[in-house]
Short mmCIF file of all heavy atoms in Angstrom, two decimals:
data_model
loop_
_atom_site.label_atom_id
_atom_site.label_comp_id
_atom_site.label_asym_id
_atom_site.label_seq_id
_atom_site.Cartn_x
_atom_site.Cartn_y
_atom_site.Cartn_z
N THR A 78 71.13 137.63 179.30
CA THR A 78 69.85 137.52 180.05
C THR A 78 69.60 136.09 180.49
O THR A 78 69.71 135.76 181.69
CB THR A 78 68.70 138.05 179.24
OG1 THR A 78 68.62 137.31 177.98
CG2 THR A 78 68.81 139.56 178.98
N GLU A 79 69.22 135.21 179.58
CA GLU A 79 69.06 133.80 179.87
C GLU A 79 70.11 133.03 179.16
O GLU A 79 70.30 133.19 177.89
CB GLU A 79 67.66 133.33 179.40
CG GLU A 79 66.49 134.00 180.11
CD GLU A 79 65.17 133.51 179.63
OE1 GLU A 79 64.85 132.30 179.90
OE2 GLU A 79 64.47 134.29 178.96
N PHE A 80 70.82 132.16 179.81
CA PHE A 80 72.02 131.52 179.24
C PHE A 80 72.45 130.30 180.00
O PHE A 80 71.99 130.04 181.12
CB PHE A 80 73.17 132.57 179.26
CG PHE A 80 73.55 133.00 180.61
CD1 PHE A 80 74.47 132.26 181.37
CD2 PHE A 80 73.02 134.18 181.15
CE1 PHE A 80 74.83 132.68 182.65
CE2 PHE A 80 73.35 134.57 182.43
CZ PHE A 80 74.26 133.86 183.20
N GLU A 81 73.29 129.51 179.36
CA GLU A 81 73.98 128.44 180.00
C GLU A 81 75.47 128.69 179.81
O GLU A 81 75.92 128.78 178.64
CB GLU A 81 73.60 127.09 179.40
CG GLU A 81 74.26 125.87 180.05
CD GLU A 81 73.71 124.55 179.58
OE1 GLU A 81 72.84 124.56 178.70
OE2 GLU A 81 74.19 123.53 180.07
N LEU A 82 76.21 128.81 180.86
CA LEU A 82 77.62 129.08 180.84
C LEU A 82 78.38 127.86 181.31
O LEU A 82 77.98 127.20 182.31
CB LEU A 82 77.99 130.24 181.81
CG LEU A 82 79.49 130.52 182.01
CD1 LEU A 82 80.10 131.14 180.76
CD2 LEU A 82 79.68 131.44 183.22
N TYR A 98 77.82 136.83 187.62
CA TYR A 98 76.87 137.03 186.52
C TYR A 98 75.81 138.03 186.98
O TYR A 98 75.61 138.26 188.19
CB TYR A 98 76.30 135.68 186.02
CG TYR A 98 75.69 134.83 187.13
CD1 TYR A 98 74.35 134.67 187.26
CD2 TYR A 98 76.53 134.12 187.99
CE1 TYR A 98 73.79 133.87 188.26
CE2 TYR A 98 76.00 133.27 189.01
CZ TYR A 98 74.58 133.17 189.09
OH TYR A 98 74.07 132.35 190.10
N PHE A 99 75.12 138.65 185.99
CA PHE A 99 74.26 139.77 186.27
C PHE A 99 75.03 140.83 187.03
O PHE A 99 74.51 141.43 187.98
CB PHE A 99 72.94 139.35 186.98
CG PHE A 99 72.08 138.48 186.12
CD1 PHE A 99 71.95 137.11 186.42
CD2 PHE A 99 71.42 138.99 185.04
CE1 PHE A 99 71.17 136.29 185.63
CE2 PHE A 99 70.63 138.18 184.22
CZ PHE A 99 70.50 136.81 184.50
N LEU A 114 75.85 138.33 191.24
CA LEU A 114 75.73 136.99 191.79
C LEU A 114 77.00 136.20 191.51
O LEU A 114 77.61 136.40 190.46
CB LEU A 114 74.53 136.27 191.11
CG LEU A 114 73.17 136.90 191.37
CD1 LEU A 114 72.15 136.30 190.43
CD2 LEU A 114 72.76 136.79 192.82
N LEU A 140 76.24 129.80 195.89
CA LEU A 140 75.89 131.15 195.53
C LEU A 140 76.43 132.04 196.67
O LEU A 140 75.87 132.03 197.77
CB LEU A 140 74.39 131.36 195.42
CG LEU A 140 73.87 132.74 195.10
CD1 LEU A 140 74.36 133.20 193.73
CD2 LEU A 140 72.38 132.79 195.15
N ILE A 144 73.58 131.00 199.36
CA ILE A 144 73.11 129.64 199.35
C ILE A 144 74.30 128.69 199.34
O ILE A 144 75.11 128.72 198.39
CB ILE A 144 72.19 129.36 198.15
CG1 ILE A 144 71.00 130.29 198.15
CG2 ILE A 144 71.70 127.89 198.21
CD1 ILE A 144 70.09 130.17 196.97
N ARG A 168 79.16 125.02 185.76
CA ARG A 168 78.10 125.32 184.82
C ARG A 168 77.05 126.19 185.56
O ARG A 168 76.66 125.88 186.67
CB ARG A 168 77.48 124.05 184.27
CG ARG A 168 76.46 124.27 183.21
CD ARG A 168 76.25 122.99 182.35
NE ARG A 168 75.66 121.91 183.11
CZ ARG A 168 74.35 121.58 183.04
NH1 ARG A 168 73.53 122.29 182.28
NH2 ARG A 168 73.87 120.56 183.74
N ILE A 169 76.64 127.26 184.92
CA ILE A 169 75.62 128.07 185.44
C ILE A 169 74.50 128.17 184.42
O ILE A 169 74.74 128.48 183.26
CB ILE A 169 76.12 129.52 185.73
CG1 ILE A 169 77.26 129.48 186.78
CG2 ILE A 169 75.01 130.40 186.23
CD1 ILE A 169 78.04 130.78 186.93
N VAL A 170 73.28 127.88 184.82
CA VAL A 170 72.11 127.86 183.94
C VAL A 170 71.09 128.90 184.44
O VAL A 170 70.70 128.84 185.60
CB VAL A 170 71.46 126.45 183.85
CG1 VAL A 170 70.32 126.45 182.87
CG2 VAL A 170 72.51 125.40 183.51
N VAL A 171 70.66 129.78 183.57
CA VAL A 171 69.68 130.78 183.85
C VAL A 171 68.53 130.69 182.87
O VAL A 171 68.74 130.97 181.68
CB VAL A 171 70.25 132.19 183.86
CG1 VAL A 171 69.17 133.20 184.24
CG2 VAL A 171 71.40 132.33 184.82
N ARG A 172 67.30 130.31 183.35
CA ARG A 172 66.10 130.34 182.53
C ARG A 172 65.05 131.18 183.23
O ARG A 172 64.57 130.84 184.29
CB ARG A 172 65.58 128.90 182.37
CG ARG A 172 66.46 127.96 181.58
CD ARG A 172 65.76 126.62 181.32
NE ARG A 172 66.59 125.69 180.53
CZ ARG A 172 67.46 124.86 181.02
NH1 ARG A 172 67.61 124.77 182.34
NH2 ARG A 172 68.12 124.07 180.23
N ARG A 173 64.79 132.33 182.63
CA ARG A 173 63.97 133.36 183.27
C ARG A 173 64.49 133.60 184.66
O ARG A 173 65.69 133.98 184.83
CB ARG A 173 62.49 132.90 183.27
CG ARG A 173 61.89 132.84 181.87
CD ARG A 173 60.42 132.55 181.89
NE ARG A 173 59.82 132.56 180.54
CZ ARG A 173 58.59 132.20 180.27
NH1 ARG A 173 57.76 131.85 181.24
NH2 ARG A 173 58.17 132.29 179.02
N ALA A 174 63.68 133.38 185.72
CA ALA A 174 64.15 133.68 187.09
C ALA A 174 64.90 132.54 187.71
O ALA A 174 65.51 132.64 188.74
CB ALA A 174 63.00 134.12 187.97
N ASP A 175 64.80 131.36 187.09
CA ASP A 175 65.36 130.11 187.67
C ASP A 175 66.87 130.02 187.35
O ASP A 175 67.26 130.14 186.18
CB ASP A 175 64.64 128.91 187.15
CG ASP A 175 63.20 128.84 187.57
OD1 ASP A 175 62.95 129.16 188.77
OD2 ASP A 175 62.32 128.52 186.73
N VAL A 176 67.68 129.76 188.39
CA VAL A 176 69.13 129.68 188.27
C VAL A 176 69.60 128.40 188.90
O VAL A 176 69.13 128.00 189.98
CB VAL A 176 69.83 130.91 188.94
CG1 VAL A 176 71.30 130.82 188.73
CG2 VAL A 176 69.24 132.22 188.40
N GLU A 177 70.58 127.76 188.25
CA GLU A 177 71.24 126.56 188.81
C GLU A 177 72.75 126.71 188.75
O GLU A 177 73.28 127.29 187.78
CB GLU A 177 70.85 125.31 187.97
CG GLU A 177 69.34 125.00 187.93
CD GLU A 177 69.00 123.96 186.95
OE1 GLU A 177 69.92 123.53 186.17
OE2 GLU A 177 67.83 123.53 186.93
N HIS A 178 73.44 126.18 189.74
CA HIS A 178 74.86 125.99 189.74
C HIS A 178 75.15 124.52 189.67
O HIS A 178 74.55 123.73 190.42
CB HIS A 178 75.51 126.50 190.99
CG HIS A 178 75.55 128.02 191.15
ND1 HIS A 178 76.28 128.65 192.20
CD2 HIS A 178 75.07 128.98 190.37
CE1 HIS A 178 76.13 129.91 192.01
NE2 HIS A 178 75.40 130.20 190.94
N TRP A 179 76.06 124.13 188.77
CA TRP A 179 76.50 122.74 188.64
C TRP A 179 78.04 122.73 188.86
O TRP A 179 78.76 123.54 188.30
CB TRP A 179 76.18 122.18 187.26
CG TRP A 179 74.67 122.02 187.01
CD1 TRP A 179 73.79 123.03 186.80
CD2 TRP A 179 73.97 120.80 186.95
NE1 TRP A 179 72.56 122.51 186.63
CE2 TRP A 179 72.64 121.12 186.67
CE3 TRP A 179 74.34 119.45 187.02
CZ2 TRP A 179 71.64 120.13 186.50
CZ3 TRP A 179 73.35 118.48 186.86
CH2 TRP A 179 72.01 118.83 186.59
N LYS A 184 74.37 119.06 190.24
CA LYS A 184 73.64 120.28 190.59
C LYS A 184 73.81 120.54 192.08
O LYS A 184 73.44 119.71 192.92
CB LYS A 184 72.22 120.21 190.19
CG LYS A 184 71.44 121.53 190.41
CD LYS A 184 70.16 121.61 189.66
CE LYS A 184 69.12 120.60 190.11
NZ LYS A 184 67.79 120.86 189.46
N VAL A 186 73.19 124.09 193.49
CA VAL A 186 72.47 125.20 193.92
C VAL A 186 71.30 125.40 192.95
O VAL A 186 71.45 125.23 191.77
CB VAL A 186 73.30 126.50 193.95
CG1 VAL A 186 72.41 127.77 194.04
CG2 VAL A 186 74.33 126.47 195.06
N ALA A 187 70.10 125.72 193.47
CA ALA A 187 68.97 126.10 192.63
C ALA A 187 68.18 127.15 193.38
O ALA A 187 67.92 127.02 194.56
CB ALA A 187 68.08 124.88 192.36
N PHE A 188 67.80 128.24 192.69
CA PHE A 188 67.04 129.30 193.32
C PHE A 188 66.32 130.09 192.24
O PHE A 188 66.55 129.92 191.03
CB PHE A 188 67.98 130.23 194.13
CG PHE A 188 68.97 131.02 193.31
CD1 PHE A 188 68.69 132.36 193.02
CD2 PHE A 188 70.15 130.48 192.91
CE1 PHE A 188 69.63 133.10 192.29
CE2 PHE A 188 71.06 131.19 192.19
CZ PHE A 188 70.80 132.53 191.88
N GLN A 189 65.43 130.99 192.73
CA GLN A 189 64.69 131.92 191.85
C GLN A 189 65.09 133.33 192.15
O GLN A 189 64.83 133.84 193.28
CB GLN A 189 63.19 131.76 192.03
CG GLN A 189 62.51 130.84 191.02
CD GLN A 189 61.04 131.00 191.03
OE1 GLN A 189 60.42 131.55 191.92
NE2 GLN A 189 60.41 130.51 189.95
N ARG A 190 65.66 134.03 191.21
CA ARG A 190 65.94 135.44 191.39
C ARG A 190 64.68 136.22 191.65
O ARG A 190 63.65 135.98 190.95
CB ARG A 190 66.66 135.99 190.15
CG ARG A 190 68.00 135.47 189.91
CD ARG A 190 68.82 136.32 188.96
NE ARG A 190 68.18 136.64 187.69
CZ ARG A 190 68.23 137.78 187.06
NH1 ARG A 190 68.92 138.78 187.60
NH2 ARG A 190 67.64 137.97 185.88
N GLY A 191 64.72 137.11 192.57
CA GLY A 191 63.59 137.99 192.82
C GLY A 191 62.47 137.38 193.64
O GLY A 191 61.52 138.08 193.98
N SER A 192 62.58 136.11 194.02
CA SER A 192 61.54 135.50 194.82
C SER A 192 61.66 135.97 196.25
O SER A 192 62.72 136.52 196.67
CB SER A 192 61.72 133.98 194.79
OG SER A 192 62.92 133.57 195.39
N GLN A 193 60.61 135.79 197.07
CA GLN A 193 60.67 136.19 198.46
C GLN A 193 61.78 135.44 199.21
O GLN A 193 62.49 136.10 199.98
CB GLN A 193 59.30 135.99 199.13
CG GLN A 193 59.20 136.55 200.54
CD GLN A 193 59.45 138.07 200.57
OE1 GLN A 193 59.12 138.75 199.66
NE2 GLN A 193 60.07 138.52 201.67
N PRO A 194 61.92 134.11 199.07
CA PRO A 194 63.07 133.46 199.74
C PRO A 194 64.39 133.99 199.33
O PRO A 194 65.28 134.14 200.15
CB PRO A 194 62.88 132.01 199.30
CG PRO A 194 61.44 131.81 198.98
CD PRO A 194 61.04 133.12 198.39
N PHE A 195 64.59 134.39 198.05
CA PHE A 195 65.85 134.93 197.60
C PHE A 195 66.08 136.27 198.28
O PHE A 195 67.15 136.58 198.80
CB PHE A 195 65.84 135.10 196.10
CG PHE A 195 67.02 135.82 195.53
CD1 PHE A 195 68.23 135.20 195.38
CD2 PHE A 195 66.93 137.15 195.19
CE1 PHE A 195 69.35 135.85 194.88
CE2 PHE A 195 68.01 137.87 194.67
CZ PHE A 195 69.23 137.21 194.53
N GLY A 211 71.12 141.30 192.57
CA GLY A 211 70.92 140.03 191.81
C GLY A 211 69.73 140.02 190.88
O GLY A 211 69.42 138.93 190.36
N GLU A 212 69.05 141.14 190.73
CA GLU A 212 67.80 141.12 189.95
C GLU A 212 67.88 141.93 188.68
O GLU A 212 66.88 142.28 188.08
CB GLU A 212 66.64 141.63 190.83
CG GLU A 212 66.39 140.72 192.03
CD GLU A 212 65.15 141.13 192.88
OE1 GLU A 212 64.17 141.53 192.27
OE2 GLU A 212 65.22 141.05 194.07
N ARG A 213 69.11 142.30 188.25
CA ARG A 213 69.24 143.03 186.98
C ARG A 213 68.73 142.16 185.83
O ARG A 213 68.90 140.93 185.82
CB ARG A 213 70.71 143.36 186.71
CG ARG A 213 71.34 144.30 187.73
CD ARG A 213 72.72 144.72 187.20
NE ARG A 213 72.59 145.78 186.19
CZ ARG A 213 73.33 145.87 185.09
NH1 ARG A 213 74.22 144.94 184.86
NH2 ARG A 213 73.15 146.84 184.25
N PRO A 214 68.09 142.75 184.80
CA PRO A 214 67.59 141.97 183.65
C PRO A 214 68.67 141.37 182.82
O PRO A 214 68.47 140.37 182.15
CB PRO A 214 66.76 142.96 182.90
CG PRO A 214 67.28 144.31 183.28
CD PRO A 214 67.74 144.20 184.73
N LEU A 237 69.84 131.05 176.02
CA LEU A 237 68.55 130.30 176.28
C LEU A 237 67.34 131.17 176.15
O LEU A 237 66.23 130.67 176.35
CB LEU A 237 68.63 129.66 177.66
CG LEU A 237 69.74 128.68 177.92
CD1 LEU A 237 69.64 128.11 179.37
CD2 LEU A 237 69.70 127.53 176.92
N ALA A 238 67.48 132.45 175.85
CA ALA A 238 66.36 133.33 175.74
C ALA A 238 65.41 132.83 174.60
O ALA A 238 65.83 132.61 173.47
CB ALA A 238 66.80 134.76 175.43
N ALA A 240 64.14 129.88 174.43
CA ALA A 240 64.19 128.44 174.41
C ALA A 240 63.36 127.90 175.54
O ALA A 240 63.77 128.05 176.72
CB ALA A 240 65.63 127.92 174.48
N ARG A 241 62.28 127.30 175.31
CA ARG A 241 61.38 126.74 176.37
C ARG A 241 61.13 125.27 176.18
O ARG A 241 61.08 124.78 175.05
CB ARG A 241 60.08 127.46 176.37
CG ARG A 241 60.18 128.96 176.54
CD ARG A 241 60.49 129.37 178.01
NE ARG A 241 60.64 130.75 178.14
CZ ARG A 241 61.78 131.38 178.26
NH1 ARG A 241 62.92 130.68 178.31
NH2 ARG A 241 61.86 132.70 178.41
#
Side-chain angles (χ1 to χ4, degrees):
T78 54
E79 297 180 68
F80 59 88
E81 182 173 1
L82 173 71
Y98 50 106
F99 294 108
L114 298 169
L140 178 63
I144 302 175
R168 186 159 67 101
I169 300 169
V170 184
V171 180
R172 294 185 178 90
R173 293 186 177 174
D175 295 316
V176 183
E177 299 171 353
H178 288 187
W179 293 72
K184 184 161 67 171
V186 166
F188 67 99
Q189 263 195 344
R190 293 199 305 142
S192 65
Q193 188 59 33
F195 173 79
E212 298 185 39
R213 296 190 78 220
L237 299 181
R241 303 283 180 255

